[in-house]
Amino acid sequence: MDLNKYLKNLETLVNVDCGSNTPDGLKIVTKFFEELYCDWIVEYHELNKNNPVLVIKNRDVENFDFLFIGHNDTVFPEGTVAKRPFKIDGDIATGPGVYDMKSGLLSMYEVAKEFKDSKLNICIIINTDEEISSLISRDLITEMGKKTKYALVFEPARKNGNMVSERKGLVKYEITFKGKAAHAGIAPQNGINAIIEASRWVLEISKLQNLEIGNSINVGVINGGFGVNTVPDKAVIKFEGRSHDIKHFENIIKTLDTLKSTPYVNGIEIEVKEIGYRPPLVLNNLSKVLLEKFDVAKAELGIKAEWEKTGGGSDANFLGILGVGVLDGIGPIGGNSHEETEYLVISSIEDRIEMIKKVLRTFL
């Protein structure tokens, strides 16, 4: 591969503000890949006005041997590039999204182009909403996932070079409580206190946490009221739950249903809204086949890397639940994603690409 061209393309991508809610930038980087894959079958999906998705195929077929996935969006607001654009210092590249995951997208292309005309049927998805839980693209990812046997997610490797075999699932909810305002001194009996009901939910939901078995609950946002002399007529809480066990999410749903059907405060109105979901990613038999092939390839190349279970989610989570053999975190090494100090180790790029190519060649 031409590493200089790779780095030039990386500079172009990093130097575009393309947070999940930055539509102009997202369209620019999506157009970049649309042109890069110009000799493939490229479908441009505009599922909403802000977050386009590319579905790219090496041939027009219904079922695929491999699905490659990566995301174009970052977590950084508009104006970040002006403050800290792409930069190379020795073996380290920096800039917003350089590690998570602009480099992974370019590595994906370097791998894909070798196998474009092979007997392998390959589909590629590049979305622009992964950092906001893929709320827009997840149905499309699931649809294509049902048509593939194996999947590789080009999220970056860990700082120590490790790759990802399993991820916790994630669910996010926003609960809105609507009560009735009243003067807290003159007529408190006329009010319906939304904060009291919200507080009860916080306590009951938090009881589902069991860190000993890896089930977490975090109520991270609570808002309500505007003065102590007024009975609050509205409150909002937002929380997330994570686990490797899908039963944790089933218990969350049961708890929410019970709380809604048996309110503590009379007259309260409650709206439950799911704002994010990824099922757990666990190893299945096909995933184990892939993992063993990666172990052979990295041993042959002298790459020192282990497999990790992680609490963070990715688009890989949508695929494992379907029975697809999927592995994640196979991109280049770096660290500090979502931080100002995010970095990429340039010397890891070519080795990781060659490792993935070695694995794919075993399927030919």
Side-chain angles (χ1 to χ4, degrees):
M1 62 170 284
D2 186 339
L3 183 59
N4 288 330
K5 185 176 181 180
Y6 180 109
L7 293 174
K8 189 66 178 175
N9 285 337
L10 185 59
E11 180 178 14
T12 297
L13 290 170
V14 171
N15 283 343
V16 178
D17 284 316
C18 51
S20 308
N21 298 305
T22 311
D24 291 342
L26 292 175
K27 289 176 182 177
I28 290 171
V29 291
T30 299
K31 183 67 175 178
F32 174 93
F33 284 104
E34 194 174 13
E35 294 175 354
L36 193 63
Y37 286 94
C38 62
D39 56 343
W40 293 60
I41 299 170
V42 180
E43 301 172 3
Y44 184 99
H45 293 261
E46 194 167 66
L47 303 178
N48 67 356
K49 294 181 180 180
N50 299 327
N51 300 89
V53 182
L54 294 180
V55 175
I56 305 162
K57 306 172 185 177
N58 66 333
R59 56 180 60 92
D60 189 13
V61 294
E62 279 298 312
N63 297 297
F64 301 94
D65 301 296
F66 277 91
L67 175 62
F68 297 168
I69 294 187
H71 66 89
N72 255 327
D73 56 323
T74 73
V75 299
F76 301 106
E78 199 161 5
T80 302
V81 168
K83 296 177 182 178
R84 48 185 186 89
F86 180 81
K87 179 182 177 182
I88 292 178
D89 185 2
D91 193 33
I92 300 298
T94 54
V98 68
Y99 166 69
D100 182 17
M101 62 168 289
K102 305 303 183 187
S103 53
L105 289 170
L106 292 173
S107 293
M108 184 165 70
Y109 173 72
E110 291 294 331
V111 172
K113 69 181 184 180
E114 177 172 318
F115 299 92
K116 176 183 178 294
D117 297 319
S118 74
K119 71 175 184 179
L120 296 177
N121 293 330
I122 297 172
C123 178
I124 298 165
I125 294 178
I126 301 176
N127 63 348
T128 57
D129 63 333
E130 194 273 347
E131 297 291 5
I132 52 173
S133 299
S134 299
L135 293 174
I136 298 121
S137 63
R138 79 180 188 187
D139 287 345
L140 182 57
I141 292 171
T142 300
E143 176 189 343
M144 302 311 296
K146 291 176 180 178
K147 301 177 181 180
T148 192
K149 187 173 184 180
Y150 297 102
L152 296 174
V153 181
F154 283 72
E155 291 278 359
R158 298 314 200 219
K159 287 182 179 181
N160 58 6
N162 287 354
M163 298 175 285
V164 176
S165 58
E166 299 187 51
R167 289 183 179 271
K168 282 187 176 183
L170 165 70
V171 67
K172 296 179 183 179
Y173 281 97
E174 178 182 88
I175 319 293
T176 301
F177 306 88
K178 296 179 181 178
K180 182 182 178 183
H183 195 292
I186 298 174
Q189 70 278 4
N190 293 335
I192 299 174
N193 194 310
I195 287 180
I196 291 177
E197 184 69 24
S199 300
R200 178 195 177 222
W201 282 55
V202 170
L203 294 174
E204 292 300 318
I205 292 167
S206 298
K207 289 178 183 178
L208 298 175
Q209 176 159 287
N210 186 339
L211 298 181
E212 291 183 2
I213 60 174
N215 293 348
S216 66
I217 291 285
N218 182 58
V219 181
V221 174
I222 181 166
N223 293 308
F226 53 86
V228 294
N229 62 344
T230 304
V231 176
D233 63 348
K234 184 178 179 181
V236 178
I237 65 171
K238 295 181 182 181
F239 78 93
E240 68 160 39
R242 298 184 188 234
S243 179
H244 287 292
D245 186 353
I246 201 165
K247 290 181 181 178
H248 183 48
F249 306 111
E250 295 171 353
N251 288 336
I252 290 172
I253 293 172
K254 289 178 182 177
T255 299
L256 297 182
D257 288 343
T258 299
L259 289 170
K260 187 174 182 180
S261 63
T262 57
Y264 180 75
V265 177
N266 290 333
I268 199 80
E269 295 179 15
I270 303 164
E271 178 186 0
V272 178
K273 182 180 179 182
E274 181 189 291
I275 57 174
Y277 175 68
R278 286 191 173 104
L281 172 66
V282 296
L283 279 178
N284 56 39
N285 289 334
L286 289 177
S287 300
K288 292 175 183 177
V289 170
L290 267 184
L291 189 147
E292 290 170 0
K293 289 179 178 290
F294 267 89
D295 283 345
V296 171
K298 63 186 175 68
E300 291 177 352
L301 292 170
I303 294 174
K304 295 181 180 179
E306 302 299 330
W307 296 96
E308 288 189 7
K309 297 181 180 180
T310 178
S314 83
D315 288 334
N317 292 68
F318 298 125
L319 302 171
I321 199 74
L322 302 175
V324 176
V326 55
L327 292 175
D328 199 351
I330 61 172
I333 299 170
N336 301 349
S337 60
H338 300 190
E339 300 179 24
E340 290 186 6
T341 54
E342 178 182 8
Y343 69 93
L344 168 72
V345 179
I346 295 172
S347 58
S348 71
I349 294 171
E350 291 179 287
D351 284 348
R352 296 290 161 143
I353 289 172
E354 182 56 32
M355 175 183 62
I356 302 164
K357 287 181 177 181
K358 267 184 170 289
V359 171
L360 290 176
R361 289 174 193 140
T362 67
F363 288 91
L364 295 177

